[in-house]
Structure formats: C-alpha cells, structure tokens
Amino acid sequence: MRSRATLALLALLAVLGAAAALVVGPWRSDRPREHGAALPGLVPAEVQAVRITRSGADVLLAREGGGWKLGEAKEAADAAAVEALLADLAAVEVGAVVSKNAARQEAYETDAAKGIAVRLEGAGGKLIAAFVVGKRGPDFASAYLKRDGAVEVLLVSRDVRTPLAKPAESWKEPPKPADPPAPPK
C-alpha cells in the first residue's frame, strides 16, 4: 500500500513540475528573448581605445605601437589584462532580455548613476560599441548590460562588471620581477 501511495505522489509531483515549467519556463512566448552575441561584430584586434567611466572615475586604455597605454600620461598598461577584457567582451552572449522598461534600468544598475559606461573605439575614434554594465546577475557569474541607444536590459553570460570596476592603477603594467642575485663563486 505504501509503495502505491509513494508512486501516486511521485506521479503527481511530476505532473505539477511539468505544469510549472510550462507556466514559468524559459520557452514561454511572452518572455522576451534574444540570443547571440551581446556585442555583435566586436573584433578585439580592431579596438584602439577602451574608455571606462564609473562614479566619476575615468579609465582610458589606448593601443599604441605594439602595446597598451593608460590614461593621458600614457603609462604602460597591462596588455594581457586589456586583451583578456576585450576577448571576454567579444564572447559575451545574451541570456535574456530582462526588461524593456526604461524606468527599470535603475533596478539593474544600468543607468548613468550606478552603471559602468564603456566605449570601445576603433581607428580614428570610430565607435565600435558603447554600453553600460550594471550589477551582477542572479548567479554572480553573469551581469546586466544595456547597449547605448537601446531600452532593453540584457542578462549576459559573463560577469564583465568585475574587470571593468577596477581602478585605473590596477590597469598599470605589473612590475617586472627583479633578477635573482648571482650565486657566490
């Protein structure tokens, strides 16, 4: 008798789970979706300048010669970190359109007050991409992003907020390790 009751409860649970998935599942037709690259056409090698603005602090990274320079003083920048950032941005995929309501941008921190504004420029200052990165997504491995000129707030596949939130000093080229002392003869 117990096994019959257990089987009946499991069957009921499966039916309720399937019904819940149909009602709130990711394939619902009324849920806004967009798949593909969040920044379509972004080719990291074509980016000549990265401008990051957050809370009044500006970071300018410019490609110069074979490397990257930081700020107006043109200090050597950590080229590996800049290239990793550009590769991450090119690989960012859209998970979902979470809002088409401009009034909700503040909740996702994709507004000018709390977001991190990013501008990627090509040769001659030509705009390649401009967007605002908001807070981290619900899984902390994603983030919210709003492209300039768009109302939609996107949930994107990577947490690009963390590297963009770094202060300017963190973009400097790391010091080279000192040569070890020569062994005694």
Side-chain angles (χ1 to χ4, degrees):
M1 182 69 178
R2 280 191 170 166
S3 63
R4 258 190 172 161
T6 302
L7 287 175
L9 286 174
L10 286 174
L12 179 63
L13 182 62
V15 168
L16 289 174
L22 287 173
V23 171
V24 296
W27 48 85
R28 273 183 38 190
S29 63
D30 66 335
R31 180 170 289 191
R33 287 280 180 190
E34 180 181 321
H35 294 287
L39 304 170
L42 175 60
V43 178
E46 293 177 359
V47 176
Q48 297 298 310
V50 178
R51 296 179 187 276
I52 305 167
T53 304
R54 67 176 175 81
S55 304
D58 293 331
V59 175
L60 169 62
L61 299 161
R63 195 184 299 263
E64 198 170 293
W68 286 90
K69 301 294 180 186
L70 174 64
E72 299 299 324
K74 298 191 179 204
E75 297 178 73
D78 185 351
V82 177
E83 294 296 338
L85 171 67
L86 292 174
D88 276 352
L89 290 173
V92 167
E93 295 282 324
V94 175
V97 176
V98 294
S99 176
K100 290 186 176 187
N101 182 348
R104 296 278 303 142
Q105 291 176 12
E106 185 179 347
Y108 296 106
E109 298 181 9
T110 55
D111 59 341
K114 293 184 180 178
I116 300 172
V118 181
R119 182 179 169 92
L120 305 176
E121 299 172 0
K126 180 183 173 196
L127 180 65
I128 294 175
F131 53 93
V132 177
V133 175
K135 65 183 181 180
R136 287 188 190 105
D139 60 358
F140 294 99
S142 57
Y144 296 103
L145 182 143
K146 184 186 84 57
R147 300 177 198 139
D148 277 12
V151 177
E152 297 88 8
V153 175
L154 309 172
L155 178 62
V156 296
S157 61
R158 294 173 185 246
D159 172 21
V160 291
R161 182 178 181 87
T162 300
L164 292 170
K166 295 183 346 182
E169 300 82 45
S170 296
W171 290 103
K172 289 182 181 177
E173 183 175 52
K176 303 214 185 307
D179 290 333
K185 291 185 180 184

